[in-house]
Amino acid sequence: MEAGGVADSLLSGACVLFTLIMYSTGLSDLRHMRMTRSVDSVQFLPFLTTDINNLSWLSYGALKGDGTLIFVNATGAVLQTLYISVYLHYCPRKRPMLLQTATLLGVLVLGFGYFWLLVPSPEARLQQLGLFCSTFTISMYLSPLADLAKVIQTKSTQRLSFSLTIATLLTSASWTLYGFQLRDPYIMVPNLPGILTSFIRLWLFWKYSQGRDRNYPLLQT
């Protein structure tokens, strides 16, 4: 195998490994829900938006014929659906969660209908779907900025997860390099905010490390 082929395989493997590690951080929430038989301190929306994001990128990967995108996002969609199912099982008020799920799924179905029925050109379909996936991913990476503002305000990083921050940094960096290798801006650009926000979180961990509760584990997920 040529050196370029080995490098490509290693980069693809890094994307798969780091992304699955990032998705697996939700297993701690899954364990918490099963042990307590409640959804206290567990947020529903991140599971739902990540699942929608996975399904969108899965469609992009299928249209592009990219095995790495297909495998990672198919696995991610299965995991997020599992987290959602367990959350709904233990959630006492299911109606708001089901309404959010139905709304986002409805938007996703309408989007797929538009891309596959009203955009006849495969090239134009790939570009528009890539733009949609990129925009959605960027919004997900930027959505926790409100939490970062609260960290600065309270001078406490208890609401942040150090292990998830590291996983996000490695995942975003590997996908940025993967997109650069493929010359695909739709993969490369949306992962840059993930790198930026991860470095901001690491800086906050360093700046407010003395203010952490000693009973709060550094690697909590």
Side-chain angles (χ1 to χ4, degrees):
M1 183 181 293
E2 297 181 357
V6 173
D8 293 349
S9 298
L10 289 175
L11 184 55
S12 176
C15 290
V16 172
L17 176 63
F18 294 142
T19 306
L20 293 185
I21 289 175
M22 184 177 69
Y23 290 155
S24 67
T25 57
L27 292 174
S28 61
D29 288 330
L30 181 65
R31 184 169 58 252
H32 171 79
M33 289 186 288
R34 293 190 61 186
M35 291 180 61
T36 63
R37 303 185 68 83
S38 71
V39 295
D40 294 340
S41 74
V42 178
Q43 294 183 330
F44 177 75
L45 196 56
F47 294 149
L48 180 58
T49 54
T50 303
D51 202 1
I52 298 298
N53 194 50
N54 285 144
L55 292 173
S56 301
W57 281 110
L58 176 60
S59 300
Y60 181 80
L63 189 59
K64 188 180 179 67
D66 189 302
T68 302
L69 282 172
I70 293 173
F71 176 78
V72 165
N73 288 285
T75 306
V78 170
L79 285 174
Q80 301 305 322
T81 301
L82 172 63
Y83 300 153
I84 290 172
S85 300
V86 174
Y87 189 101
L88 291 175
H89 177 72
Y90 292 114
C91 179
R93 297 178 64 250
K94 295 179 173 58
R95 184 173 180 178
M97 311 307 167
L98 291 173
L99 182 60
Q100 292 178 15
T101 303
T103 300
L104 282 181
L105 285 178
V107 172
L108 187 66
V109 170
L110 288 176
F112 284 167
Y114 167 76
F115 290 128
W116 292 100
L117 299 177
L118 301 180
V119 184
S121 169
E123 183 177 353
R125 189 184 306 153
L126 185 66
Q127 292 177 351
Q128 294 188 28
L129 183 57
L131 181 61
F132 170 81
C133 292
S134 298
T135 303
F136 197 88
T137 300
I138 290 173
S139 66
M140 287 183 60
Y141 276 133
L142 296 181
S143 60
L145 288 179
D147 286 337
L148 300 185
K150 291 180 180 178
V151 168
I152 296 174
Q153 183 180 7
T154 61
K155 297 183 180 181
S156 172
T157 55
Q158 290 191 14
R159 64 177 60 245
L160 299 181
S161 166
F162 185 80
S163 58
L164 181 58
T165 299
I166 296 298
T168 302
L169 175 60
L170 294 174
T171 300
S172 300
S174 60
W175 282 110
T176 298
L177 292 175
Y178 187 75
F180 178 78
Q181 176 196 50
L182 296 180
R183 294 180 174 82
D184 189 332
Y186 301 119
I187 298 176
M188 180 176 63
V189 173
N191 284 284
L192 293 175
I195 298 176
L196 176 61
T197 55
S198 295
F199 276 120
I200 293 176
R201 290 185 180 200
L202 290 175
W203 177 76
L204 291 173
F205 276 112
W206 171 79
K207 182 174 178 62
Y208 300 121
S209 58
Q210 299 301 321
R212 291 184 65 88
D213 186 342
R214 292 183 180 182
N215 295 322
Y216 185 80
L218 185 62
L219 294 180
Q220 179 175 346
T221 58

